[in-house]
């Protein structure tokens, strides 16, 4: 039996978890994989991911490391940090329903604040990274 690549399943589960939370959706205008040109700040992007094997003797496992981005056009980092705090409350060590796979754990790895240097220089960016461990269901 071959092991599935959970990248898409993890991305789908993250999207469902984030968009399913009314508090977060009151704070952000949307969650995107591809940001439309008419997107309104602040919003969240489910971005890049890395996937590596995490197999055991009797099962296939994967570590999927997705990166989330919070974007805002606001003075200071307060708003992106508030959104990031809510994202962290929803994901860090919380259950995640991943289609076709058993979710073991999702752990917060790091966050970083950035300012877009391009004019007008008022774009704030919060990068969040998580590590999601999954196993093939029996």
């Amino acid at each position: 039996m071959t092991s599935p690549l959970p990248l898409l399943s993890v991305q789908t589960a993250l999207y469902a978890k984030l968009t399913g939370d009314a508090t977060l959706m009151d704070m952000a205008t949307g969650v995107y994989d591809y940001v439309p040109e008419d997107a309104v700040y602040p919003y969240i992007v489910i971005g890049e991911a890395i996937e590596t094997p995490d197999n055991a003797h009797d099962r296939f496992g994967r570590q999927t490391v997705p990166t989330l981005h919070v974007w805002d056009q606001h003075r200071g980092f307060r708003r992106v940090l508030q959104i990031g705090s809510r994202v962290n409350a929803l994901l860090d060590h919380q259950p995640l329903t991943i289609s076709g796979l058993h979710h073991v754990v999702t752990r917060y790895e790091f966050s970083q604040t950035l300012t877009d240097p391009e004019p007008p220089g008022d774009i704030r960016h919060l990068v969040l990274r998580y590590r999601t461990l999954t196993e093939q269901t029996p």
Side-chain angles (χ1 to χ4, degrees):
M1 177 183 273
T2 60
S3 174
L5 294 175
L7 282 170
L8 180 58
S9 297
V10 169
Q11 180 185 32
T12 301
L14 290 172
Y15 179 84
K17 182 81 163 196
L18 298 176
T19 59
D21 184 70
T23 301
L24 181 62
M25 290 298 90
D26 283 344
M27 300 168 81
T29 62
V31 177
Y32 301 105
D33 173 21
Y34 173 79
V35 182
E37 287 185 32
D38 62 348
V40 176
Y41 293 103
Y43 56 81
I44 301 165
V45 176
I46 301 174
E48 309 76 20
I50 299 168
E51 184 176 284
T52 56
D54 191 22
N55 299 326
H57 203 41
D58 62 342
R59 61 160 177 81
F60 289 107
R62 293 287 187 266
Q63 291 191 31
T64 306
V65 183
T67 303
L68 307 179
H69 304 270
V70 180
W71 294 93
D72 196 11
Q73 193 171 30
H74 187 75
R75 289 184 175 213
F77 288 105
R78 182 173 188 226
R79 215 158 62 171
V80 294
L81 292 171
Q82 289 171 331
I83 293 169
S85 291
R86 183 63 188 164
V87 168
N88 207 46
L90 292 169
L91 298 180
D92 187 32
H93 288 86
Q94 298 301 312
L96 196 58
T97 303
I98 303 174
S99 177
L101 296 166
H102 169 67
H103 176 248
V104 177
V105 69
T106 297
R107 293 186 188 113
Y108 166 77
E109 285 201 343
F110 80 85
S111 58
Q112 179 181 5
T113 56
L114 301 166
T115 302
D116 188 339
E118 295 298 316
D122 61 350
I123 307 290
R124 297 297 186 256
H125 180 193
L126 176 66
V127 180
L128 297 157
R129 190 166 77 189
Y130 295 86
R131 183 171 302 269
T132 300
L133 281 66
T134 56
E135 295 178 346
Q136 193 171 23
T137 54

